[in-house]
């Protein structure tokens, strides 16, 4: 029986990107869209896509507002944010734009926040649900996480060109499916426990419907979307899964809440073994372990088969933990269960022993 843990009339909330546009070739309207927010745009382009994206971005600004295009160095550090702030200020930017992967987008999000500028986000991979979020992760020069910057609002516009995203390797889309897979299970845990979302209050009912829709979409279209990605085509399945990975998962996790899957991900990241694996690949292992915590064996088998069908890991060895020791499991469990951690958003008490036991079933 599902018990609604939140009293009638209690404060609830949800948050969203200001606008969302998706389609093949929509990069062509970037300049026109930017013109809706200001007269001068600073455009930060990811190092990895700079050469082929720059001409497309320039073309979109022809006849429109003035744009200054900057190459992102690759890191989202305090220094990178400061440099972008200085450049945008010197240029007199009235709107910030960034295209690329997570670190370029986060650098621009953080700089736009400091300058109080509107921000347009153009993800070139669909490997996580970060693009729509009001969060930027700032790293230290040594590559370790410095701090999470929680922003007061989500991006003004998220512009998703599926033709661009289809050019990226399918492994990125698969990782995004892993991140999106966690959204429903974690939101459902928060709904049942009454835990708070990213706004420090329980989600409104829409948040949980979006999370469920996210799961249903990736289950239905995930495998077909990867085949389309292999063929570098943005067909119907690809469009549906990109929307699930970026928009549905983004709204679902911020407004529904997070729990065991991401806590176990954080634990796994304590091991050097996993560093060559993507966020969503590790999160998928977190989802599987989370289902074990709940003793949901039938659902576990269903999700494990799904993960296999969308090229996601199902065993610890698949994310680089070839040699599983008691010490490693203890390190993961300790980090996942530390006081105040999101694993405690689960509707039942979770102990380190429970996490170790769950992870052992993934050897
Ligand atoms: Zn995530």
């Amino acid at each position: 029986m599902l018990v609604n843990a939140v009293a009638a009339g209690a404060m609830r909330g949800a948050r969203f990107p200001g606008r969302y546009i998706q389609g093949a070739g929509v990069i062509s309207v970037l300049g026109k869209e930017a013109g809706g927010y200001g007269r001068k745009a600073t455009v930060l382009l990811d190092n990895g896509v700079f050469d082929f994206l720059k001409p497309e971005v320039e073309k979109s600004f022809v006849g429109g507002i003035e744009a200054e295009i900057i190459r992102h160095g690759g890191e989202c550090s305090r220094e990178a944010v400061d440099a972008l702030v200085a450049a945008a200020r010197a240029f007199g930017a009235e709107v910030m734009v960034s295209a690329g992967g997570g670190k370029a987008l986060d650098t621009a999000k953080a700089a736009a926040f400091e300058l109080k500028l509107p921000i347009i986000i153009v993800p070139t991979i669909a490997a996580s649900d970060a693009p729509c979020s009001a969060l930027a992760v700032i790293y230290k020069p040594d590559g370790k996480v410095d701090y999470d910057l929680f922003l007061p609002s989500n991006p003004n516009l998220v512009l998703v060109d599926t033709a661009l995203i289809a050019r990226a390797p399918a492994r990125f889309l698969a990782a995004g499916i892993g991140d999106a897979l966690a959204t429903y299970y974690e939101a459902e845990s928060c709904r049942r426990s009454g835990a708070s979302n990213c706004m420090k209050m329980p989600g409104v009912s829409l948040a949980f419907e979006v999370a469920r829709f996210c799961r249903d979409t990736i289950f239905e279209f995930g495998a077909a979307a990867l085949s389309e990605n292999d063929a570098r085509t943005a067909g119907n399945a690809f469009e549906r899964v990109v929307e699930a990975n970026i928009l549905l998962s983004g709204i679902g996790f911020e407004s529904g809440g997070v729990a065991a899957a991401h806590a176990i991900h954080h634990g796994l990241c304590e091991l050097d073994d996993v560093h060559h694996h993507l966020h969503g690949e590790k999160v998928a292992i977190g989802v599987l372990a989370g289902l074990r915590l709940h003793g949901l064996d039938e659902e576990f088998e269903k999700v494990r088969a799904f993960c296999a069908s969308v090229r996601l890991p199902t065993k610890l060895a698949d994310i680089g933990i070839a040699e599983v020791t008691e010490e490693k499991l203890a390190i993961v469990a300790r980090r996942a269960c530390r006081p105040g951690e999101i694993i405690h958003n689960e509707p039942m008490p979770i102990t380190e022993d429970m996490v170790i036991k769950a992870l052992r079933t993934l050897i």
Side-chain angles (χ1 to χ4, degrees), residues 4 19 29 86 98 104 118 141 186 240 289 300 338:
N4 195 332
R19 291 195 299 140
V29 301
S98 182
E186 296 188 297
R240 292 294 302 271
F300 174 89
R338 67 184 189 181

Side-chain angles (χ1 to χ4, degrees), residues 190-204:
C190 292
R191 189 180 70 80
R192 291 176 55 200
S193 67
S196 292
N197 61 17
C198 298
M199 298 163 70
K200 297 191 166 52
M201 62 183 79
V204 290

Side-chain angles (χ1 to χ4, degrees), residues 335-356:
R335 172 67 173 84
C337 297
R338 67 184 189 181
E341 190 48 78
I342 50 180
I343 204 164
H344 304 300
N345 288 343
E346 291 293 335
M348 71 285 197
I350 305 287
T351 64
E352 292 178 23
D353 279 348
M354 289 165 73
V355 172
I356 290 170

Side-chain angles (χ1 to χ4, degrees), residues 25-317:
V26 296
I27 190 90
S28 64
V29 301
L30 176 61
K32 182 172 152 273
E33 289 296 330
Y37 295 97
R39 290 161 299 178
K40 278 180 145 196
T42 287
V43 184
L44 184 70
L45 294 188
D46 199 325
N47 212 4
V49 293
F50 187 89
D51 292 330
F52 79 82
L53 213 51
K54 188 166 177 264
E56 304 229 18
V57 169
E58 283 172 339
K59 210 164 97 190
S60 86
F61 277 91
V62 169
I65 66 166
E66 202 183 335
E68 173 198 47
I69 299 178
I70 294 174
R71 184 193 284 262
H72 183 244
E75 282 313 313
C76 180
S77 59
R78 200 51 255 172
E79 292 72 22
V81 174
D82 290 345
L84 183 60
V85 165
R89 197 173 269 147
F91 178 63
E94 292 182 354
V95 52
M96 182 77 73
V97 178
S98 182
K103 288 185 177 173
L105 302 181
D106 280 6
T107 303
K109 277 184 189 175
F113 166 64
E114 275 184 37
L115 293 162
K116 297 191 166 52
L117 293 182
I119 172 102
I120 298 176
I121 291 291
V122 185
T124 54
I125 51 173
S128 82
D129 52 23
C132 287
S133 76
L135 171 68
V137 183
I138 313 295
Y139 291 82
K140 291 184 205 158
D142 67 2
K144 295 214 170 82
V145 172
D146 193 351
Y147 59 95
D148 288 332
L149 177 62
F150 295 97
L151 304 165
S153 52
N154 298 69
N156 300 75
L157 169 63
V158 179
L159 185 77
V160 181
D161 187 331
T162 43
L164 267 181
I165 291 176
R167 293 171 62 152
R171 183 182 172 190
F172 291 120
L173 190 74
I177 293 172
D179 207 20
L181 179 64
T183 299
Y184 166 76
Y185 293 102
E186 296 188 297
E188 185 61 14
S189 289
C190 292
R191 189 180 70 80
R192 291 176 55 200
S193 67
S196 292
N197 61 17
C198 298
M199 298 163 70
K200 297 191 166 52
M201 62 183 79
V204 290
S205 44
L206 175 71
F208 306 107
E209 286 301 303
V210 170
R212 187 187 49 74
F213 184 47
C214 178
R215 178 200 62 176
D216 293 350
T217 302
I218 57 172
F219 276 10
E220 185 171 355
F221 298 104
L226 289 169
S227 300
E228 291 181 9
N229 201 160
D230 290 337
R232 301 280 184 265
T233 53
N236 179 56
F238 187 82
E239 291 283 350
R240 292 294 302 271
V241 168
V242 168
E243 181 188 334
N245 286 9
I246 295 177
L247 181 64
L248 305 179
S249 187
I251 294 170
F253 102 82
E254 278 195 309
S255 298
V258 288
H262 274 81
I264 292 170
H265 160 272
H266 299 342
L268 292 167
C269 287
E270 295 286 302
L271 305 178
D272 289 335
D273 305 15
V274 306
H275 284 179
H276 296 295
H277 291 269
L278 300 168
H279 172 79
E281 294 170 342
K282 292 173 267 193
V283 169
I285 290 292
V287 173
L288 289 169
L291 291 169
R292 287 297 201 206
L293 289 176
H294 284 264
L296 294 170
D297 292 340
E298 212 172 295
E299 189 73 7
F300 174 89
E301 291 305 335
K302 189 176 134 196
V303 173
R304 182 165 67 174
F306 170 71
C307 285
S309 77
V310 293
R311 309 170 196 172
L312 281 170
T314 58
K315 287 186 154 43
L316 295 176

